[in-house]
Structures are given as structure tokens and as C-alpha cells.
Amino acid sequence: MARRKANVNESSCVACGVCASQCPKGIISIFKGCYAVIDTESCVGCGICAKACPANAITVNEVQEVANGSK
Amino acid sequence: MAANNKKKHWYQYLWIWSIVYFSLGFFNILFAWLGMLDFIIPLIFAIFGGNKWFCNNMCGRGQLFWVLGRNLKCSRQKPAPNWMSSKWFRYGFLAFFMTMFGNMIFQTYLVFSGAESLRKAIKLFWTFKVPWKWAYSTSIFPDWVAQFSFGFYSLMLTSTLIGLIVMVLYKERTWCSFCPMGTMTQGICKLKAKK
Ligand code: SF4
Ligand code: SF4
Ligand code: SF4
């Protein structure tokens, strides 16, 4: 099963927090003022954060669920 | 501001403060000093808290760009070129900004020492002089206090105008990707996080 998840490129993140203020699930936090961290488990892959990010630091990708060998 | 039903906090309305700030400075330039809060508060959060809580929650300028760009649809919402949020550009712009800040302090000093007299004008984009006479006649303060006000107001207005331009052209808060305060506070946080 494939699912979409948002992913932060830590080196281009400017820690502005726009993504965190927009995520409908409220699962983004700014780690020590350095970069955004997403709770990937709860991410629904809506891409709202990526659309809001001014630094092009978030991408939403398909991820393969490898759990239980059901690739 | 948020697209969800999270509880609204008072500090989410600080974009109003940004507008009030520029309006006050239009009538009396001495109000420009209040803008120092936008320099000091984020630094306090960064230095003592090791966080960017100011940027993340209570920066009126960032919120203003969001309100205009997203809510009022004044932004094309297109990704900005990557160099705009690259490290060399961000730190280069910070260095440039600090140099200009230093220059402004120096101008203030010249008026303080009596070498120059007070100039009732603001300078946009560090180049264009705009007469601003109506905003100051005399006050109980010495002239250098007013000179600093004109200089600081120029800096605040210029950076907001740059922010508005990139807001229209790119994303709502593209300014935040190279805002000197944002770069500085993130830099401090990164240094602190390493320890
Ligand atoms: S993709 Fe949606 S749910 Fe996932 S972090 Fe971004 S805004 Fe939140
Ligand atoms: S919006 Fe982009 S740059 Fe800003 S904190 Fe989120 S990931 Fe980082
Ligand atoms: S980066 Fe600058 S404009 Fe953006 S939220 Fe931080 S201090 Fe405000």
C-alpha cells in the first residue's frame, strides 16, 4: 500500500513555522528553533504545509509501507 | 490565520500591530522606537529560550504577509527561486542589513555629536529620499532621538516593502525565508542546539 507523507529538508528549512501554523492535524513542531519536524505517523499527506512553505523545504512523497511484508 | 479550527490567541492578531506601527510613524516619527520591540523580543526568545517562538507565533509582519497574501489573495503563491532561501543569500542579506543598521546608528551619532543636523526624511531601499517633515516638529527629546526614528522607520518600511514585493511575486511569506531577524534567530538557535 502506498501513502503520501510530507518530508522536511532540514538544511533548507528556515524554521519560520508557517507549516506548523497551517497543518490541519497540528503535527508539525519547530525543533529548538532550527527546523520543522513532522510527526510522520499522523501525517495525511495533504500537502498544505508544502504549499505554504516559503523556502521550498517540504516535499510530499509516496512512501511504501514495508510493515508486515505487505509491500 | 490558521486554516483549521484551532483556538485563536491574542498574538495571532499582531498583524494589526504592524499596520498601527506604520500609521503612528506617519503622524509622529518618534513612534518608530516601538519597532525596537520587534528586534528585542525575537532575540530574547532565541538567546534565552533557544527557540523561534516569536517567528512561529507572534511576528506581526509575517502575519500581515499571510493575511494579505493568503486571505486577501494578493500573492501568486508560486515557489520562490531556491537561491532566495539559500544560506549564502540569507547570511549575505543579514550582513548587508546589519551594515545598514550600523550606518543608521552612525548617522544618529553624527547628529548627537553635532556634526550633522537632523534630516526630516526617510530613505527607501537605502536610496530614495522621501520627505517626511510632517511627522516631527520639536519634542522634549534631543535631535538624535528623532534622527534614529527616521532611520529606523526607513529600515522597517523598506524591509516591509521588500516583503510585500516578494509576497506578490512568490509565496505569502517568502520574506521570512531571508528576513534578517529570522536568519539571526535561527542562527542563534542552531548554535545553542549544538551545545
Ligand atoms: S501533509 Fe498535511 S498532515 Fe502532513 S504535515 Fe503537511 S499539512 Fe500536516
Ligand atoms: S514552512 Fe518551510 S521553512 Fe518554514 S518551518 Fe516549515 S518547513 Fe521550515
Ligand atoms: S522571519 Fe522575520 S518576518 Fe518572518 S516571522 Fe520571523 S521575524 Fe517575522
Side-chain angles (χ1 to χ4, degrees):
Chain A
M1 198 179 94
R3 283 164 127 207
R4 295 175 70 75
K5 298 282 183 188
N7 193 33
V8 178
N9 177 350
E10 287 166 14
S11 72
S12 49
C13 174
V14 300
C16 62
V18 180
C19 53
S21 76
Q22 293 307 306
C23 174
K25 306 275 285 175
I27 53 168
I28 310 182
S29 53
I30 309 299
F31 177 73
K32 290 187 177 177
C34 297
Y35 49 78
V37 176
I38 298 176
D39 170 15
T40 312
E41 274 295 295
S42 322
C43 174
V44 295
C46 64
I48 288 173
C49 53
K51 179 105 178 67
C53 175
N56 309 327
I58 305 182
T59 46
V60 183
N61 303 310
E62 298 270 328
V63 285
Q64 300 293 328
E65 304 261 299
V66 284
N68 307 329
S70 59
K71 250 189 187 174
Chain B
M1 176 182 167
N4 42 54
N5 304 321
K6 269 183 258 168
K7 191 176 166 292
K8 288 258 186 181
H9 299 281
W10 64 270
Y11 48 76
Q12 287 175 296
Y13 297 95
L14 284 169
W15 55 273
I16 298 168
W17 158 244
S18 289
I19 299 172
V20 169
Y21 175 76
F22 288 113
S23 315
L24 288 174
F26 187 83
F27 293 108
N28 189 328
I29 200 67
L30 293 178
F31 283 113
W33 279 85
L34 290 175
M36 288 301 282
L37 290 172
D38 286 337
F39 273 63
I40 295 164
I41 298 170
L43 286 174
I44 290 175
F45 275 114
I47 294 169
F48 299 104
N51 64 49
K52 291 227 322 173
W53 205 88
F54 180 85
C55 281
N56 301 163
N57 296 286
M58 63 179 296
C59 174
R61 177 179 311 201
Q63 291 171 12
L64 182 67
F65 294 144
W66 189 263
V67 168
L68 294 176
R70 180 64 65 102
N71 302 358
L72 298 180
K73 301 189 171 59
C74 295
S75 171
R76 288 168 67 225
Q77 304 188 349
K78 298 273 187 256
N82 280 329
W83 60 260
M84 222 175 248
S85 48
S86 65
K87 294 213 164 52
W88 68 265
F89 181 71
R90 295 180 65 209
Y91 281 97
F93 190 70
L94 172 64
F96 170 77
F97 208 85
M98 293 316 282
T99 309
M100 289 305 169
F101 192 84
N103 184 43
M104 191 261 293
I105 300 290
F106 183 64
Q107 295 303 323
T108 305
Y109 169 75
L110 288 180
V111 171
F112 169 79
S113 69
E116 296 260 3
S117 53
L118 172 64
R119 266 174 283 177
K120 296 179 192 176
I122 61 165
K123 225 178 195 182
L124 290 181
F125 302 101
W126 301 281
T127 320
F128 308 108
K129 270 219 177 88
V130 184
W132 210 259
K133 286 195 180 65
W134 58 83
Y136 190 72
S137 47
T138 47
S139 70
I140 53 164
F141 300 106
D143 272 359
W144 67 267
V145 174
Q147 184 61 51
F148 178 87
S149 305
F150 282 109
F152 194 65
Y153 192 78
S154 305
L155 211 65
M156 295 292 276
L157 195 54
T158 298
S159 50
T160 303
L161 288 173
I162 297 174
L164 286 171
I165 293 167
V166 292
M167 173 200 83
V168 172
L169 291 177
Y170 307 113
K171 296 254 174 119
E172 300 86 348
R173 280 180 59 171
T174 293
W175 164 258
C176 293
S177 66
F178 60 91
C179 166
M181 283 319 291
T183 307
M184 203 173 355
T185 48
Q186 189 192 25
I188 294 168
C189 289
K190 279 187 170 169
L191 287 177
K192 281 193 70 116
K194 264 200 199 123
K195 282 189 198 151

mmCIF file with all atom_site columns, all heavy atoms in Angstrom, chain A residues 15-42:
data_model
loop_
_atom_site.group_PDB
_atom_site.id
_atom_site.type_symbol
_atom_site.label_atom_id
_atom_site.label_alt_id
_atom_site.label_comp_id
_atom_site.label_asym_id
_atom_site.label_entity_id
_atom_site.label_seq_id
_atom_site.pdbx_PDB_ins_code
_atom_site.Cartn_x
_atom_site.Cartn_y
_atom_site.Cartn_z
_atom_site.occupancy
_atom_site.B_iso_or_equiv
_atom_site.pdbx_formal_charge
_atom_site.auth_seq_id
_atom_site.auth_comp_id
_atom_site.auth_asym_id
_atom_site.auth_atom_id
_atom_site.pdbx_PDB_model_num
ATOM 1   N N   . ALA A 1 15 ? 12.921 27.533 9.603  1.00 0.00 ? 15 ALA A N   1
ATOM 2   C CA  . ALA A 1 15 ? 12.267 27.494 10.917 1.00 0.00 ? 15 ALA A CA  1
ATOM 3   C C   . ALA A 1 15 ? 11.282 28.633 11.146 1.00 0.00 ? 15 ALA A C   1
ATOM 4   O O   . ALA A 1 15 ? 11.133 29.117 12.257 1.00 0.00 ? 15 ALA A O   1
ATOM 5   C CB  . ALA A 1 15 ? 13.316 27.449 12.042 1.00 0.00 ? 15 ALA A CB  1
ATOM 6   N N   . CYS A 1 16 ? 10.623 29.048 10.068 1.00 0.00 ? 16 CYS A N   1
ATOM 7   C CA  . CYS A 1 16 ? 9.679  30.160 10.199 1.00 0.00 ? 16 CYS A CA  1
ATOM 8   C C   . CYS A 1 16 ? 8.377  29.732 10.879 1.00 0.00 ? 16 CYS A C   1
ATOM 9   O O   . CYS A 1 16 ? 7.680  30.555 11.453 1.00 0.00 ? 16 CYS A O   1
ATOM 10  C CB  . CYS A 1 16 ? 9.368  30.746 8.831  1.00 0.00 ? 16 CYS A CB  1
ATOM 11  S SG  . CYS A 1 16 ? 8.584  29.571 7.702  1.00 0.00 ? 16 CYS A SG  1
ATOM 12  N N   . GLY A 1 17 ? 8.041  28.458 10.761 1.00 0.00 ? 17 GLY A N   1
ATOM 13  C CA  . GLY A 1 17 ? 6.842  27.962 11.429 1.00 0.00 ? 17 GLY A CA  1
ATOM 14  C C   . GLY A 1 17 ? 5.550  28.123 10.657 1.00 0.00 ? 17 GLY A C   1
ATOM 15  O O   . GLY A 1 17 ? 4.471  27.852 11.199 1.00 0.00 ? 17 GLY A O   1
ATOM 16  N N   . VAL A 1 18 ? 5.620  28.544 9.418  1.00 0.00 ? 18 VAL A N   1
ATOM 17  C CA  . VAL A 1 18 ? 4.397  28.704 8.628  1.00 0.00 ? 18 VAL A CA  1
ATOM 18  C C   . VAL A 1 18 ? 3.692  27.360 8.462  1.00 0.00 ? 18 VAL A C   1
ATOM 19  O O   . VAL A 1 18 ? 2.472  27.252 8.609  1.00 0.00 ? 18 VAL A O   1
ATOM 20  C CB  . VAL A 1 18 ? 4.711  29.313 7.245  1.00 0.00 ? 18 VAL A CB  1
ATOM 21  C CG1 . VAL A 1 18 ? 3.443  29.469 6.425  1.00 0.00 ? 18 VAL A CG1 1
ATOM 22  C CG2 . VAL A 1 18 ? 5.375  30.673 7.399  1.00 0.00 ? 18 VAL A CG2 1
ATOM 23  N N   . CYS A 1 19 ? 4.482  26.329 8.188  1.00 0.00 ? 19 CYS A N   1
ATOM 24  C CA  . CYS A 1 19 ? 3.905  24.992 8.009  1.00 0.00 ? 19 CYS A CA  1
ATOM 25  C C   . CYS A 1 19 ? 3.156  24.553 9.260  1.00 0.00 ? 19 CYS A C   1
ATOM 26  O O   . CYS A 1 19 ? 2.033  24.047 9.181  1.00 0.00 ? 19 CYS A O   1
ATOM 27  C CB  . CYS A 1 19 ? 5.010  23.994 7.676  1.00 0.00 ? 19 CYS A CB  1
ATOM 28  S SG  . CYS A 1 19 ? 6.377  23.996 8.865  1.00 0.00 ? 19 CYS A SG  1
ATOM 29  N N   . ALA A 1 20 ? 3.793  24.786 10.425 1.00 0.00 ? 20 ALA A N   1
ATOM 30  C CA  . ALA A 1 20 ? 3.183  24.363 11.683 1.00 0.00 ? 20 ALA A CA  1
ATOM 31  C C   . ALA A 1 20 ? 1.859  25.071 11.922 1.00 0.00 ? 20 ALA A C   1
ATOM 32  O O   . ALA A 1 20 ? 0.903  24.476 12.431 1.00 0.00 ? 20 ALA A O   1
ATOM 33  C CB  . ALA A 1 20 ? 4.143  24.636 12.841 1.00 0.00 ? 20 ALA A CB  1
ATOM 34  N N   . SER A 1 21 ? 1.788  26.350 11.524 1.00 0.00 ? 21 SER A N   1
ATOM 35  C CA  . SER A 1 21 ? 0.549  27.093 11.765 1.00 0.00 ? 21 SER A CA  1
ATOM 36  C C   . SER A 1 21 ? -0.548 26.641 10.817 1.00 0.00 ? 21 SER A C   1
ATOM 37  O O   . SER A 1 21 ? -1.723 26.852 11.081 1.00 0.00 ? 21 SER A O   1
ATOM 38  C CB  . SER A 1 21 ? 0.797  28.598 11.620 1.00 0.00 ? 21 SER A CB  1
ATOM 39  O OG  . SER A 1 21 ? 0.891  28.956 10.260 1.00 0.00 ? 21 SER A OG  1
ATOM 40  N N   . GLN A 1 22 ? -0.192 26.016 9.711  1.00 0.00 ? 22 GLN A N   1
ATOM 41  C CA  . GLN A 1 22 ? -1.190 25.639 8.710  1.00 0.00 ? 22 GLN A CA  1
ATOM 42  C C   . GLN A 1 22 ? -1.613 24.180 8.739  1.00 0.00 ? 22 GLN A C   1
ATOM 43  O O   . GLN A 1 22 ? -2.701 23.847 8.270  1.00 0.00 ? 22 GLN A O   1
ATOM 44  C CB  . GLN A 1 22 ? -0.653 25.978 7.309  1.00 0.00 ? 22 GLN A CB  1
ATOM 45  C CG  . GLN A 1 22 ? -0.497 27.467 7.065  1.00 0.00 ? 22 GLN A CG  1
ATOM 46  C CD  . GLN A 1 22 ? -1.773 28.229 7.359  1.00 0.00 ? 22 GLN A CD  1
ATOM 47  O OE1 . GLN A 1 22 ? -2.835 27.916 6.834  1.00 0.00 ? 22 GLN A OE1 1
ATOM 48  N NE2 . GLN A 1 22 ? -1.686 29.222 8.239  1.00 0.00 ? 22 GLN A NE2 1
ATOM 49  N N   . CYS A 1 23 ? -0.770 23.314 9.252  1.00 0.00 ? 23 CYS A N   1
ATOM 50  C CA  . CYS A 1 23 ? -1.094 21.880 9.225  1.00 0.00 ? 23 CYS A CA  1
ATOM 51  C C   . CYS A 1 23 ? -2.417 21.606 9.930  1.00 0.00 ? 23 CYS A C   1
ATOM 52  O O   . CYS A 1 23 ? -2.574 21.905 11.110 1.00 0.00 ? 23 CYS A O   1
ATOM 53  C CB  . CYS A 1 23 ? 0.011  21.068 9.904  1.00 0.00 ? 23 CYS A CB  1
ATOM 54  S SG  . CYS A 1 23 ? -0.409 19.320 10.057 1.00 0.00 ? 23 CYS A SG  1
ATOM 55  N N   . PRO A 1 24 ? -3.382 21.039 9.224  1.00 0.00 ? 24 PRO A N   1
ATOM 56  C CA  . PRO A 1 24 ? -4.695 20.802 9.830  1.00 0.00 ? 24 PRO A CA  1
ATOM 57  C C   . PRO A 1 24 ? -4.655 19.769 10.955 1.00 0.00 ? 24 PRO A C   1
ATOM 58  O O   . PRO A 1 24 ? -5.549 19.727 11.798 1.00 0.00 ? 24 PRO A O   1
ATOM 59  C CB  . PRO A 1 24 ? -5.556 20.318 8.662  1.00 0.00 ? 24 PRO A CB  1
ATOM 60  C CG  . PRO A 1 24 ? -4.593 19.821 7.645  1.00 0.00 ? 24 PRO A CG  1
ATOM 61  C CD  . PRO A 1 24 ? -3.332 20.613 7.816  1.00 0.00 ? 24 PRO A CD  1
ATOM 62  N N   . LYS A 1 25 ? -3.617 18.949 10.953 1.00 0.00 ? 25 LYS A N   1
ATOM 63  C CA  . LYS A 1 25 ? -3.514 17.943 12.001 1.00 0.00 ? 25 LYS A CA  1
ATOM 64  C C   . LYS A 1 25 ? -2.694 18.455 13.190 1.00 0.00 ? 25 LYS A C   1
ATOM 65  O O   . LYS A 1 25 ? -2.614 17.776 14.215 1.00 0.00 ? 25 LYS A O   1
ATOM 66  C CB  . LYS A 1 25 ? -2.852 16.676 11.445 1.00 0.00 ? 25 LYS A CB  1
ATOM 67  C CG  . LYS A 1 25 ? -3.513 16.101 10.207 1.00 0.00 ? 25 LYS A CG  1
ATOM 68  C CD  . LYS A 1 25 ? -4.677 15.196 10.532 1.00 0.00 ? 25 LYS A CD  1
ATOM 69  C CE  . LYS A 1 25 ? -4.160 13.857 11.057 1.00 0.00 ? 25 LYS A CE  1
ATOM 70  N NZ  . LYS A 1 25 ? -5.287 13.005 11.492 1.00 0.00 ? 25 LYS A NZ  1
ATOM 71  N N   . GLY A 1 26 ? -2.069 19.603 13.035 1.00 0.00 ? 26 GLY A N   1
ATOM 72  C CA  . GLY A 1 26 ? -1.282 20.157 14.134 1.00 0.00 ? 26 GLY A CA  1
ATOM 73  C C   . GLY A 1 26 ? -0.143 19.257 14.567 1.00 0.00 ? 26 GLY A C   1
ATOM 74  O O   . GLY A 1 26 ? 0.142  19.120 15.765 1.00 0.00 ? 26 GLY A O   1
ATOM 75  N N   . ILE A 1 27 ? 0.533  18.660 13.607 1.00 0.00 ? 27 ILE A N   1
ATOM 76  C CA  . ILE A 1 27 ? 1.561  17.676 13.965 1.00 0.00 ? 27 ILE A CA  1
ATOM 77  C C   . ILE A 1 27 ? 2.970  18.138 13.615 1.00 0.00 ? 27 ILE A C   1
ATOM 78  O O   . ILE A 1 27 ? 3.901  17.346 13.607 1.00 0.00 ? 27 ILE A O   1
ATOM 79  C CB  . ILE A 1 27 ? 1.298  16.336 13.224 1.00 0.00 ? 27 ILE A CB  1
ATOM 80  C CG1 . ILE A 1 27 ? 1.156  16.599 11.720 1.00 0.00 ? 27 ILE A CG1 1
ATOM 81  C CG2 . ILE A 1 27 ? 0.056  15.665 13.779 1.00 0.00 ? 27 ILE A CG2 1
ATOM 82  C CD1 . ILE A 1 27 ? 1.177  15.342 10.881 1.00 0.00 ? 27 ILE A CD1 1
ATOM 83  N N   . ILE A 1 28 ? 3.101  19.444 13.312 1.00 0.00 ? 28 ILE A N   1
ATOM 84  C CA  . ILE A 1 28 ? 4.435  19.949 12.998 1.00 0.00 ? 28 ILE A CA  1
ATOM 85  C C   . ILE A 1 28 ? 4.924  20.810 14.152 1.00 0.00 ? 28 ILE A C   1
ATOM 86  O O   . ILE A 1 28 ? 4.176  21.625 14.689 1.00 0.00 ? 28 ILE A O   1
ATOM 87  C CB  . ILE A 1 28 ? 4.435  20.786 11.696 1.00 0.00 ? 28 ILE A CB  1
ATOM 88  C CG1 . ILE A 1 28 ? 3.740  20.020 10.561 1.00 0.00 ? 28 ILE A CG1 1
ATOM 89  C CG2 . ILE A 1 28 ? 5.864  21.167 11.303 1.00 0.00 ? 28 ILE A CG2 1
ATOM 90  C CD1 . ILE A 1 28 ? 3.729  20.739 9.230  1.00 0.00 ? 28 ILE A CD1 1
ATOM 91  N N   . SER A 1 29 ? 6.151  20.598 14.546 1.00 0.00 ? 29 SER A N   1
ATOM 92  C CA  . SER A 1 29 ? 6.739  21.466 15.567 1.00 0.00 ? 29 SER A CA  1
ATOM 93  C C   . SER A 1 29 ? 8.092  21.942 15.060 1.00 0.00 ? 29 SER A C   1
ATOM 94  O O   . SER A 1 29 ? 8.677  21.346 14.156 1.00 0.00 ? 29 SER A O   1
ATOM 95  C CB  . SER A 1 29 ? 6.895  20.696 16.884 1.00 0.00 ? 29 SER A CB  1
ATOM 96  O OG  . SER A 1 29 ? 7.605  19.507 16.637 1.00 0.00 ? 29 SER A OG  1
ATOM 97  N N   . ILE A 1 30 ? 8.547  23.048 15.632 1.00 0.00 ? 30 ILE A N   1
ATOM 98  C CA  . ILE A 1 30 ? 9.843  23.580 15.215 1.00 0.00 ? 30 ILE A CA  1
ATOM 99  C C   . ILE A 1 30 ? 10.865 23.162 16.251 1.00 0.00 ? 30 ILE A C   1
ATOM 100 O O   . ILE A 1 30 ? 10.842 23.646 17.381 1.00 0.00 ? 30 ILE A O   1
ATOM 101 C CB  . ILE A 1 30 ? 9.795  25.119 15.082 1.00 0.00 ? 30 ILE A CB  1
ATOM 102 C CG1 . ILE A 1 30 ? 8.602  25.545 14.207 1.00 0.00 ? 30 ILE A CG1 1
ATOM 103 C CG2 . ILE A 1 30 ? 11.099 25.656 14.512 1.00 0.00 ? 30 ILE A CG2 1
ATOM 104 C CD1 . ILE A 1 30 ? 8.628  25.014 12.789 1.00 0.00 ? 30 ILE A CD1 1
ATOM 105 N N   . PHE A 1 31 ? 11.736 22.259 15.871 1.00 0.00 ? 31 PHE A N   1
ATOM 106 C CA  . PHE A 1 31 ? 12.687 21.704 16.818 1.00 0.00 ? 31 PHE A CA  1
ATOM 107 C C   . PHE A 1 31 ? 13.749 22.726 17.217 1.00 0.00 ? 31 PHE A C   1
ATOM 108 O O   . PHE A 1 31 ? 14.583 23.122 16.401 1.00 0.00 ? 31 PHE A O   1
ATOM 109 C CB  . PHE A 1 31 ? 13.349 20.452 16.219 1.00 0.00 ? 31 PHE A CB  1
ATOM 110 C CG  . PHE A 1 31 ? 14.402 19.849 17.104 1.00 0.00 ? 31 PHE A CG  1
ATOM 111 C CD1 . PHE A 1 31 ? 14.032 19.154 18.253 1.00 0.00 ? 31 PHE A CD1 1
ATOM 112 C CD2 . PHE A 1 31 ? 15.748 19.996 16.811 1.00 0.00 ? 31 PHE A CD2 1
ATOM 113 C CE1 . PHE A 1 31 ? 14.996 18.604 19.084 1.00 0.00 ? 31 PHE A CE1 1
ATOM 114 C CE2 . PHE A 1 31 ? 16.725 19.452 17.644 1.00 0.00 ? 31 PHE A CE2 1
ATOM 115 C CZ  . PHE A 1 31 ? 16.340 18.758 18.784 1.00 0.00 ? 31 PHE A CZ  1
ATOM 116 N N   . LYS A 1 32 ? 13.685 23.161 18.465 1.00 0.00 ? 32 LYS A N   1
ATOM 117 C CA  . LYS A 1 32 ? 14.654 24.106 19.039 1.00 0.00 ? 32 LYS A CA  1
ATOM 118 C C   . LYS A 1 32 ? 14.967 25.302 18.139 1.00 0.00 ? 32 LYS A C   1
ATOM 119 O O   . LYS A 1 32 ? 16.106 25.773 18.099 1.00 0.00 ? 32 LYS A O   1
ATOM 120 C CB  . LYS A 1 32 ? 15.967 23.370 19.369 1.00 0.00 ? 32 LYS A CB  1
ATOM 121 C CG  . LYS A 1 32 ? 15.836 22.416 20.538 1.00 0.00 ? 32 LYS A CG  1
ATOM 122 C CD  . LYS A 1 32 ? 17.191 21.864 20.928 1.00 0.00 ? 32 LYS A CD  1
ATOM 123 C CE  . LYS A 1 32 ? 17.072 20.968 22.161 1.00 0.00 ? 32 LYS A CE  1
ATOM 124 N NZ  . LYS A 1 32 ? 18.356 20.364 22.516 1.00 0.00 ? 32 LYS A NZ  1
ATOM 125 N N   . GLY A 1 33 ? 13.981 25.759 17.409 1.00 0.00 ? 33 GLY A N   1
ATOM 126 C CA  . GLY A 1 33 ? 14.202 26.922 16.547 1.00 0.00 ? 33 GLY A CA  1
ATOM 127 C C   . GLY A 1 33 ? 15.115 26.643 15.364 1.00 0.00 ? 33 GLY A C   1
ATOM 128 O O   . GLY A 1 33 ? 15.606 27.570 14.735 1.00 0.00 ? 33 GLY A O   1
ATOM 129 N N   . CYS A 1 34 ? 15.354 25.366 15.066 1.00 0.00 ? 34 CYS A N   1
ATOM 130 C CA  . CYS A 1 34 ? 16.309 25.022 13.999 1.00 0.00 ? 34 CYS A CA  1
ATOM 131 C C   . CYS A 1 34 ? 15.627 24.573 12.713 1.00 0.00 ? 34 CYS A C   1
ATOM 132 O O   . CYS A 1 34 ? 15.992 25.006 11.637 1.00 0.00 ? 34 CYS A O   1
ATOM 133 C CB  . CYS A 1 34 ? 17.254 23.930 14.470 1.00 0.00 ? 34 CYS A CB  1
ATOM 134 S SG  . CYS A 1 34 ? 18.276 24.417 15.866 1.00 0.00 ? 34 CYS A SG  1
ATOM 135 N N   . TYR A 1 35 ? 14.669 23.668 12.823 1.00 0.00 ? 35 TYR A N   1
ATOM 136 C CA  . TYR A 1 35 ? 13.962 23.186 11.629 1.00 0.00 ? 35 TYR A CA  1
ATOM 137 C C   . TYR A 1 35 ? 12.639 22.532 12.038 1.00 0.00 ? 35 TYR A C   1
ATOM 138 O O   . TYR A 1 35 ? 12.424 22.219 13.210 1.00 0.00 ? 35 TYR A O   1
ATOM 139 C CB  . TYR A 1 35 ? 14.825 22.197 10.831 1.00 0.00 ? 35 TYR A CB  1
ATOM 140 C CG  . TYR A 1 35 ? 15.445 21.102 11.671 1.00 0.00 ? 35 TYR A CG  1
ATOM 141 C CD1 . TYR A 1 35 ? 14.691 20.004 12.078 1.00 0.00 ? 35 TYR A CD1 1
ATOM 142 C CD2 . TYR A 1 35 ? 16.768 21.186 12.078 1.00 0.00 ? 35 TYR A CD2 1
ATOM 143 C CE1 . TYR A 1 35 ? 15.243 19.014 12.866 1.00 0.00 ? 35 TYR A CE1 1
ATOM 144 C CE2 . TYR A 1 35 ? 17.343 20.197 12.868 1.00 0.00 ? 35 TYR A CE2 1
ATOM 145 C CZ  . TYR A 1 35 ? 16.567 19.108 13.252 1.00 0.00 ? 35 TYR A CZ  1
ATOM 146 O OH  . TYR A 1 35 ? 17.117 18.134 14.042 1.00 0.00 ? 35 TYR A OH  1
ATOM 147 N N   . ALA A 1 36 ? 11.791 22.344 11.039 1.00 0.00 ? 36 ALA A N   1
ATOM 148 C CA  . ALA A 1 36 ? 10.485 21.766 11.304 1.00 0.00 ? 36 ALA A CA  1
ATOM 149 C C   . ALA A 1 36 ? 10.575 20.242 11.400 1.00 0.00 ? 36 ALA A C   1
ATOM 150 O O   . ALA A 1 36 ? 11.333 19.609 10.675 1.00 0.00 ? 36 ALA A O   1
ATOM 151 C CB  . ALA A 1 36 ? 9.518  22.149 10.192 1.00 0.00 ? 36 ALA A CB  1
ATOM 152 N N   . VAL A 1 37 ? 9.810  19.675 12.329 1.00 0.00 ? 37 VAL A N   1
ATOM 153 C CA  . VAL A 1 37 ? 9.748  18.229 12.477 1.00 0.00 ? 37 VAL A CA  1
ATOM 154 C C   . VAL A 1 37 ? 8.292  17.800 12.353 1.00 0.00 ? 37 VAL A C   1
ATOM 155 O O   . VAL A 1 37 ? 7.413  18.367 13.008 1.00 0.00 ? 37 VAL A O   1
ATOM 156 C CB  . VAL A 1 37 ? 10.307 17.779 13.849 1.00 0.00 ? 37 VAL A CB  1
ATOM 157 C CG1 . VAL A 1 37 ? 10.141 16.283 14.026 1.00 0.00 ? 37 VAL A CG1 1
ATOM 158 C CG2 . VAL A 1 37 ? 11.773 18.172 13.981 1.00 0.00 ? 37 VAL A CG2 1
ATOM 159 N N   . ILE A 1 38 ? 8.054  16.833 11.490 1.00 0.00 ? 38 ILE A N   1
ATOM 160 C CA  . ILE A 1 38 ? 6.691  16.358 11.267 1.00 0.00 ? 38 ILE A CA  1
ATOM 161 C C   . ILE A 1 38 ? 6.522  14.984 11.907 1.00 0.00 ? 38 ILE A C   1
ATOM 162 O O   . ILE A 1 38 ? 7.388  14.121 11.786 1.00 0.00 ? 38 ILE A O   1
ATOM 163 C CB  . ILE A 1 38 ? 6.396  16.264 9.750  1.00 0.00 ? 38 ILE A CB  1
ATOM 164 C CG1 . ILE A 1 38 ? 6.500  17.657 9.108  1.00 0.00 ? 38 ILE A CG1 1
ATOM 165 C CG2 . ILE A 1 38 ? 5.014  15.657 9.504  1.00 0.00 ? 38 ILE A CG2 1
ATOM 166 C CD1 . ILE A 1 38 ? 6.330  17.664 7.609  1.00 0.00 ? 38 ILE A CD1 1
ATOM 167 N N   . ASP A 1 39 ? 5.418  14.824 12.590 1.00 0.00 ? 39 ASP A N   1
ATOM 168 C CA  . ASP A 1 39 ? 5.085  13.516 13.137 1.00 0.00 ? 39 ASP A CA  1
ATOM 169 C C   . ASP A 1 39 ? 4.548  12.668 11.975 1.00 0.00 ? 39 ASP A C   1
ATOM 170 O O   . ASP A 1 39 ? 3.346  12.652 11.701 1.00 0.00 ? 39 ASP A O   1
ATOM 171 C CB  . ASP A 1 39 ? 4.039  13.687 14.247 1.00 0.00 ? 39 ASP A CB  1
ATOM 172 C CG  . ASP A 1 39 ? 3.472  12.349 14.687 1.00 0.00 ? 39 ASP A CG  1
ATOM 173 O OD1 . ASP A 1 39 ? 4.070  11.305 14.350 1.00 0.00 ? 39 ASP A OD1 1
ATOM 174 O OD2 . ASP A 1 39 ? 2.425  12.361 15.363 1.00 0.00 ? 39 ASP A OD2 1
ATOM 175 N N   . THR A 1 40 ? 5.450  11.995 11.312 1.00 0.00 ? 40 THR A N   1
ATOM 176 C CA  . THR A 1 40 ? 5.122  11.315 10.050 1.00 0.00 ? 40 THR A CA  1
ATOM 177 C C   . THR A 1 40 ? 3.994  10.298 10.206 1.00 0.00 ? 40 THR A C   1
ATOM 178 O O   . THR A 1 40 ? 3.168  10.130 9.321  1.00 0.00 ? 40 THR A O   1
ATOM 179 C CB  . THR A 1 40 ? 6.381  10.618 9.492  1.00 0.00 ? 40 THR A CB  1
ATOM 180 O OG1 . THR A 1 40 ? 7.447  11.554 9.528  1.00 0.00 ? 40 THR A OG1 1
ATOM 181 C CG2 . THR A 1 40 ? 6.176  10.172 8.058  1.00 0.00 ? 40 THR A CG2 1
ATOM 182 N N   . GLU A 1 41 ? 3.947  9.644  11.375 1.00 0.00 ? 41 GLU A N   1
ATOM 183 C CA  . GLU A 1 41 ? 2.891  8.663  11.637 1.00 0.00 ? 41 GLU A CA  1
ATOM 184 C C   . GLU A 1 41 ? 1.508  9.244  11.371 1.00 0.00 ? 41 GLU A C   1
ATOM 185 O O   . GLU A 1 41 ? 0.668  8.626  10.734 1.00 0.00 ? 41 GLU A O   1
ATOM 186 C CB  . GLU A 1 41 ? 2.964  8.228  13.120 1.00 0.00 ? 41 GLU A CB  1
ATOM 187 C CG  . GLU A 1 41 ? 3.917  7.097  13.385 1.00 0.00 ? 41 GLU A CG  1
ATOM 188 C CD  . GLU A 1 41 ? 3.481  5.802  12.713 1.00 0.00 ? 41 GLU A CD  1
ATOM 189 O OE1 . GLU A 1 41 ? 2.422  5.293  13.119 1.00 0.00 ? 41 GLU A OE1 1
ATOM 190 O OE2 . GLU A 1 41 ? 4.183  5.336  11.800 1.00 0.00 ? 41 GLU A OE2 1
ATOM 191 N N   . SER A 1 42 ? 1.290  10.479 11.882 1.00 0.00 ? 42 SER A N   1
ATOM 192 C CA  . SER A 1 42 ? -0.048 11.076 11.798 1.00 0.00 ? 42 SER A CA  1
ATOM 193 C C   . SER A 1 42 ? -0.269 11.899 10.535 1.00 0.00 ? 42 SER A C   1
ATOM 194 O O   . SER A 1 42 ? -1.367 12.400 10.313 1.00 0.00 ? 42 SER A O   1
ATOM 195 C CB  . SER A 1 42 ? -0.296 11.986 13.008 1.00 0.00 ? 42 SER A CB  1
ATOM 196 O OG  . SER A 1 42 ? 0.268  11.439 14.168 1.00 0.00 ? 42 SER A OG  1
#
